[in-house]
Amino acid sequence: NAGVTQTPKFRILKIGQSMTLQCTQDMNHNYMYWYRQDPGMGLKLIYYSVGAGITDKGEVPNGYNVSRSTTEDFPLRLELAAPSQTSVYFCASSYRGYTFGSGTRLTVV
Amino acid sequence: AQTVTQSQPEMSVQEAETVTLSCTYDTSESNYYLFWYKQPPSRQMILVIRQEAYKQQNATENRFSVNFQKAAKSFSLKISDSQLGDTAMYFCAFTRGADGLTFGKGTHLIIQP
């Protein structure tokens, strides 16, 4: 079992560019989440999904979009990247407990 | 909205000592779950321990145990016989269920040889 797989692990974006962070899980979990972690802080919830076709905003959704067409995949889209989106992004899935991916370090310059 | 507060930004203890990390939370819910996560420099989020609010018995996992005080909304983590590998950021987290975890700001724990 691979668990939760995130790609890429690192990325540098220029201001105004867009990109998609990929997240795939092979545990057949219905619940999936995207978090961001700024330096010296805990994780903050961006978006979450309770099943295919269902998504909802978390605490810090501005500047991001998500989709959930399958149980396995939950991509996070950044449109018009801004320096404030420089962070480490974690994807997670859940069934009676949370499994986290290894994170994506994103720098916007 | 739920909030989680960790009042100790950093703690340092000697190897083999016992250390307690503090966590308080605020919620109006009666059913919820509390977690402690460890984040080493590799940045991987590792589950340390989990507590269901409806269970009065404190959770334990080997050297790790919690003191769950529901009325006081307190959820502290005790690490016994601390080891160098315990050096990491520790995050307290809360969830009602499907809508995700709310994290505290973390405590940087340093185990000195």
Side-chain angles (χ1 to χ4, degrees), chain B residues 5-24:
Chain B
T5 302
Q6 294 180 249
S7 59
Q8 304 151 313
E10 185 169 288
M11 296 188 71
S12 180
V13 299
Q14 296 295 122
E15 193 175 8
E17 289 184 345
T18 295
V19 59
T20 299
L21 308 184
S22 301
C23 173
T24 59

Side-chain angles (χ1 to χ4, degrees), chain A residues 11-72:
Chain A
R11 182 73 186 267
I12 298 174
L13 276 183
K14 293 184 178 180
I15 295 171
Q17 287 185 321
S18 61
M19 75 164 293
T20 299
L21 280 66
Q22 301 292 345
C23 177
T24 299
Q25 53 97 3
D26 61 358
M27 298 169 285
N28 203 34
H29 289 170
N30 282 325
Y31 304 150
M32 294 189 74
Y33 308 86
W34 275 106
Y35 294 88
R36 61 176 286 173
Q37 184 180 26
D38 297 327
M41 301 292 287
L43 283 67
K44 292 188 177 181
L45 184 64
I46 304 171
Y47 271 96
Y48 68 100
S49 170
V50 299
I54 305 169
T55 62
D56 208 346
K57 295 178 180 179
E59 183 183 359
V60 290
N62 291 343
Y64 307 94
N65 281 298
V66 294
S67 59
R68 185 93 182 272
S69 57
T70 67
T71 299
E72 296 77 19

